[in-house]
Amino acid sequence: MAQDEKQPVIVLQNVDKHFGSFQALKNINLVVNKGERLVVCGPSGSGKSTMIRCINRLEEHDGGKIIVNGHELTGNTKDIDAVRREVGMVFQSFNLFPHLTVVKNLMLAPRLVRNTSKAEAHDIAMALLERVKIPEQANKYPVQLSGGQQQRVAIARALCMNPEIMLFDEPTSALDPEMISEVLDVMVDLAKEGMTMICVTHEMGFARSVADKIVFMDAGEIVETGPPATFFDNPKSERTKKFLSQIIQH
Amino acid sequence: MADLVGWWDDFFWGSVVVAQVFFASLTMMVLFGLLGAAAKLSNSRVAQKVAAAYTVVFRGTPEILVLLLIYFGSAIALTSLAQLYDPSIAFVDIPPFWAGSFAIGLIVGAYATETFRGAFLGVDPGQIEAARALGISGFKTFIYIQIPEMWRLALPAFGNHMLSLIKDTALISIIGLNETLFAAEQAIGTTGKPFTMYIVVGCIYLSFSTAITLTVMMLEKKANRHLEGAR
Amino acid sequence: MSFDFSLVIDSIPKMLMGLGLTLQLMALSAVLGTVLAVVLLLMRISRRWYLVWPSVTYIYIFRGTPILVQIFIIYYGLPQFEAVRDSIFWPILREPFGCAVLALSLNTGAYVSEILRGGILGVDKGLGEAAAALGLSVRQRFIHITTPIAIRLATPAYSNDIVSLMKSTALASTITLLDMMGIARTIVAETFAPYEVFLSLAVIYMVMTFFIQKAFGRFERHMSRYLKREN
């Protein structure tokens, strides 16, 4: 399997991040290897989103080092653009461009960033819409789609740039319960294809079945890391135990 | 600065007049705005139509036109009334101060109508339901729940209306009110320095605007203090 | 005192002779003002203090003072300086038309700039992040994502501002221009019939307001077509 090659594609070393006087990330150390599937969980405000947003520099870290696919993230715009081309991201609130049709949402970045021809961008877009099983929605505007459909479009849009790594920031948290599985199905398919993924999610079923490694964060720190079996059935830290008991209590 | 020697007091008294017009027109603006909003929200079709006409007319007509119409129109009416008693009377007018304050209060009141109406409708009906569910009377709900929330919602636009009022006071010099532009014209007549004098007027108005802006900022801060620290 | 309809019939065609001038003032100032507004906006959001600061100051001054004072400073004030009278701009600044267009454009620029900024601030931050995550550059994000959405958000306020501009053109009559307002004032001075003349003119302005709002309403619907849920 790919991860046996142990080729690190994301490295965080002693990463700190402050918002004013509030420290959102405290000395984060994390290595993600090629093909690895990571699930990040933890209570709200624990820094999970901040951490993955630092990986494509939507947030700037202010201490330590982040290396993505060989590029160290600094103020250098060229490196950041290079990283962002190689890292796809899916947001909790979809963030589809409301003024563009579905297919144009997908074509925008290849056209602008990679100078792909219109016809080729269209072909790529349609192929990806097939993959997320909504080609028939291609010419609709985002607002005309259900939440689950919008999120699948958002995943396809990120895949249009042919990224090597995908970041998911709570992709199902804004969805009605009946739409969660259609999005998770797409993510499971991606995982099967060997995509390197980091998912912030509360979907513990997904975490258990798909993740190679689970990272538990609390108060800006990584508290515990381990394979799903150990993490769920044999957590070491008290904080992890408490979190797990809270999310499965009801 | 040397050009201004001897004119400071004229500008000062002109500014006092501006402030007086401002407060007089502010009172009328609030009054017309509340009346307009109440009419728009009422169940009476007639009141709704009248209020709609009021806002359309005064938002679609130049301020100077409204001002001249009110001033000269009322003067014509008053003069012909006065001549019924004494045909030798040549001209009677409403003092420019009151005609002007009324005119700009009426104009900006048309904008305030929409602001007050929007603020009333902007209060989350859930809050009102919650208060009623707790057994609080309709009147007390209005006083303690709706009014404070309406005030918070209306403040930013209300601040803009006050800025409109203060700037519109400059128009009243056209009908002969002794305010700052009038003072400037007199000063120019003697000194021949129009730029200097009009810049002084500009600075006076900028000070008024600044004072209003700061006041509104302070009031907004106070009205929003319960939202501080919200994420 | 009576309402003389024959005077209405007589004066409307006369006032409409000034319609061309009113429209010229409005169209020229709208275009120049909007261009200026975009420049001010780009300065304002550039995050470079030496661009931000002049833009903020400019907007503050022009929004904080009456447009009438601005017109007077430019028309009556600037010729105080010999340098102005000797400059290449004198052919424009000598003419009341040039001064009116200049004042109206400078004023509109300040207001519209804030409107456009409001539109930009209204664009969901997540969209910019999504575009950034896809590798779009700052410039590409601004052109392809922020601008089209900001234009839609700013259109209603922009429409109101063009109506304000139209109303402000009436102030050109204070510097001797014979726009519709100027002609109306001349007729009133001759006939002393403010009701007939000014009310007729008010109707003309309201019709213009109606058409401006109608046109922008159509534009806004076009810009919002993607928000309709049904196809």
Side-chain angles (χ1 to χ4, degrees):
Chain A
M1 284 182 59
Q3 64 264 40
D4 291 340
E5 298 165 17
K6 288 282 179 206
Q7 183 192 344
V9 286
I10 299 174
V11 180
L12 282 77
Q13 276 173 11
N14 311 94
V15 170
D16 289 328
K17 165 75 189 166
H18 296 79
F19 292 108
S21 57
F22 174 71
Q23 186 165 8
L25 296 178
K26 295 174 192 162
N27 195 28
I28 299 287
N29 286 290
L30 186 72
V31 176
V32 183
N33 293 312
K34 195 169 172 57
E36 206 167 31
R37 298 172 289 266
L38 212 71
V39 163
V40 184
C41 61
S44 71
S46 58
K48 334 178 275 289
S49 288
T50 307
M51 182 177 81
I52 72 163
R53 286 164 61 86
C54 280
I55 292 170
N56 64 353
R57 212 172 169 81
L58 290 180
E59 305 285 356
E60 287 177 29
H61 59 290
D62 42 34
K65 220 185 217 188
I66 300 179
I67 300 163
V68 180
N69 241 1
H71 307 276
E72 177 171 357
L73 295 183
T74 59
N76 184 333
T77 342
K78 275 219 163 75
D79 279 348
I80 295 166
D81 285 346
V83 165
R84 284 174 175 169
R85 283 194 291 268
E86 291 156 20
V87 178
M89 184 160 195
V90 176
F91 300 83
Q92 179 179 347
S93 50
F94 325 140
N95 292 341
L96 293 179
F97 306 128
H99 59 300
L100 302 178
T101 58
V102 164
V103 68
K104 286 192 174 144
N105 260 277
L106 270 66
M107 289 162 66
L108 183 76
R111 297 269 287 138
L112 291 178
V113 180
R114 296 218 199 279
N115 289 321
T116 313
S117 76
K118 199 168 172 182
E120 194 186 339
H122 190 266
D123 291 346
I124 299 171
M126 288 313 295
L128 282 164
L129 286 176
E130 293 277 356
R131 196 157 140 196
V132 299
K133 305 182 187 72
I134 35 175
E136 73 283 1
Q137 311 287 358
N139 292 314
K140 287 195 179 169
Y141 285 106
V143 74
Q144 298 164 335
L145 270 52
S146 74
Q149 291 173 325
Q150 289 192 47
Q151 193 61 298
R152 284 187 280 153
V153 173
I155 295 173
R157 180 178 67 178
L159 293 174
C160 270
M161 291 297 284
N162 203 15
E164 297 183 25
I165 301 160
M166 285 287 285
L167 306 175
F168 293 85
D169 187 2
E170 304 203 25
T172 57
S173 299
L175 295 175
D176 290 333
E178 73 272 18
M179 295 173 183
I180 290 177
S181 67
E182 62 186 74
V183 172
L184 290 180
D185 286 347
V186 172
M187 291 168 65
V188 170
D189 286 347
L190 261 185
K192 282 184 190 148
E193 290 161 20
M195 175 69 76
T196 312
M197 293 163 69
I198 303 184
C199 313
V200 173
T201 181
H202 297 293
E203 295 298 327
M204 289 303 140
F206 173 80
R208 196 187 271 271
S209 62
V210 174
D212 300 307
K213 195 155 87 179
I214 299 198
V215 173
F216 173 67
M217 291 183 72
D218 189 17
E221 295 169 310
I222 293 183
V223 176
E224 187 164 344
T225 308
T230 335
F231 179 82
F232 285 109
D233 304 328
N234 212 348
K236 282 170 284 188
S237 148
E238 280 309 311
R239 285 201 270 181
T240 314
K241 284 177 196 160
K242 187 166 163 240
F243 174 74
L244 288 173
S245 75
Q246 278 165 343
I247 58 169
I248 52 175
Q249 213 160 39
H250 299 287
Chain B
M1 283 293 149
D3 298 323
L4 288 164
V5 171
W7 295 104
W8 288 115
D9 55 334
D10 297 77
F11 282 116
F12 174 77
W13 291 113
S15 310
V16 172
V17 173
V18 168
Q20 287 171 332
V21 174
F22 172 74
F23 284 110
S25 59
L26 178 63
T27 313
M28 294 189 223
M29 180 264 268
V30 172
L31 187 73
F32 290 128
L34 288 176
L35 280 175
K40 281 209 166 180
L41 293 163
S42 77
N43 292 325
S44 155
R45 291 286 296 269
V46 178
Q48 288 173 9
K49 285 259 160 64
V50 171
Y54 167 54
T55 52
V56 168
V57 168
F58 288 95
R59 286 152 53 116
T61 319
E63 291 83 351
I64 181 179
L65 178 55
V66 174
L67 179 72
L68 293 178
L69 180 60
I70 286 176
Y71 178 67
F72 287 116
S74 64
I76 286 267
L78 282 178
T79 305
S80 50
L81 273 179
Q83 282 171 343
L84 291 179
Y85 296 96
D86 181 357
S88 68
I89 293 172
F91 187 77
V92 185
D93 68 349
I94 293 181
F97 178 93
W98 289 109
S101 302
F102 177 75
I104 61 181
L106 196 61
I107 295 163
V108 185
Y111 293 86
T113 294
E114 296 298 344
T115 303
F116 292 149
R117 177 177 164 273
F120 184 85
L121 295 176
V123 179
D124 176 8
Q127 290 182 15
I128 300 163
E129 280 177 13
R132 300 309 307 273
L134 288 165
I136 300 168
S137 74
F139 179 71
K140 283 190 175 164
T141 304
F142 185 71
I143 299 290
Y144 293 102
I145 310 293
Q146 280 175 270
I147 292 217
E149 184 70 358
M150 279 173 65
W151 172 239
R152 186 178 72 80
L153 294 173
L155 247 182
F158 191 74
N160 285 335
H161 300 332
M162 290 201 286
L163 289 172
S164 299
L165 282 181
I166 197 81
K167 286 181 280 181
D168 284 351
T169 60
L171 296 172
I172 307 180
S173 66
I174 295 172
I175 55 169
L177 185 69
N178 271 317
E179 44 72 87
T180 51
L181 267 179
F182 195 85
E185 273 157 39
Q186 312 234 281
I188 292 161
T190 351
T191 60
K193 299 280 182 190
F195 187 80
T196 320
M197 298 306 163
Y198 285 129
I199 286 288
V200 171
V201 177
C203 291
I204 291 170
Y205 274 105
L206 203 56
S207 321
F208 277 121
S209 303
T210 307
I212 292 171
T213 307
L214 291 177
T215 310
V216 172
M217 271 168 64
M218 220 173 62
L219 291 172
E220 277 187 50
K221 200 167 170 165
K222 208 175 144 205
N224 289 322
R225 63 189 183 281
H226 63 288
L227 299 175
E228 268 169 39
R231 309 212 307 174
Chain C
M1 183 199 128
S2 62
F3 197 86
D4 185 354
F5 270 104
S6 65
L7 192 55
V8 173
I9 309 288
D10 277 353
S11 58
I12 285 185
K14 283 188 196 156
M15 289 188 291
L16 284 177
M17 307 261 277
L19 177 64
L21 186 54
T22 297
L23 289 177
Q24 277 175 36
L25 285 169
M26 187 178 116
L28 268 175
S29 311
V31 171
L32 294 174
T34 305
V35 171
L36 173 65
V38 172
V39 173
L40 288 168
L41 171 74
L42 294 176
M43 289 167 70
R44 179 82 170 83
I45 61 176
S46 69
R47 296 191 192 178
R48 277 165 246 223
W49 64 267
Y50 53 86
L51 295 175
V52 172
W53 198 80
S55 166
V56 169
T57 312
Y58 176 92
I59 292 168
Y60 175 70
I61 290 175
F62 276 85
R63 280 166 42 110
T65 52
I67 169 79
L68 186 64
V69 175
Q70 292 162 17
I71 291 175
F72 283 3
I73 289 176
I74 290 172
Y75 181 65
Y76 296 116
L78 288 182
Q80 179 180 326
F81 304 103
E82 209 172 320
V84 173
R85 295 198 300 270
D86 294 340
S87 75
I88 51 160
F89 301 112
W90 186 235
I92 293 171
L93 293 173
R94 193 177 53 198
E95 298 296 330
F97 181 79
C99 290
V101 168
L102 182 62
L104 292 168
S105 308
L106 294 177
N107 187 269
T108 302
Y111 281 93
V112 170
S113 184
E114 283 298 276
I115 287 168
L116 298 180
R117 193 169 77 97
I120 283 178
L121 293 179
V123 177
D124 183 356
K125 245 184 85 212
L127 300 179
E129 288 183 348
L134 288 165
L136 270 68
S137 68
V138 176
R139 180 188 293 252
Q140 288 171 328
R141 272 177 260 162
F142 189 76
I143 294 174
H144 294 275
I145 309 299
T146 311
T147 301
I149 296 170
I151 288 177
R152 166 173 67 82
L153 295 176
T155 300
Y158 183 75
S159 151
N160 286 337
D161 217 73
I162 295 299
V163 171
S164 289
L165 168 64
M166 182 205 71
K167 297 198 293 179
S168 298
T169 60
L171 295 175
S173 66
T174 62
I175 52 171
T176 75
L177 278 173
L178 288 176
D179 68 325
M180 292 195 295
M181 187 73 216
I183 294 172
R185 289 173 74 176
T186 318
I187 301 174
V188 170
E190 288 164 1
T191 62
F192 217 69
Y195 284 114
E196 289 84 347
V197 178
F198 286 152
L199 283 176
S200 314
L201 182 58
V203 171
I204 297 176
Y205 276 112
M206 275 188 273
V207 169
M208 288 173 67
T209 303
F210 174 80
F211 280 115
I212 294 172
Q213 285 170 339
K214 191 114 185 150
F216 277 105
R218 187 167 287 189
F219 177 70
E220 196 198 345
R221 269 201 304 286
H222 173 73
M223 293 301 287
S224 316
R225 65 200 176 284
Y226 53 82
L227 292 179
K228 280 200 304 198
R229 280 180 191 279
E230 71 281 10
N231 211 345

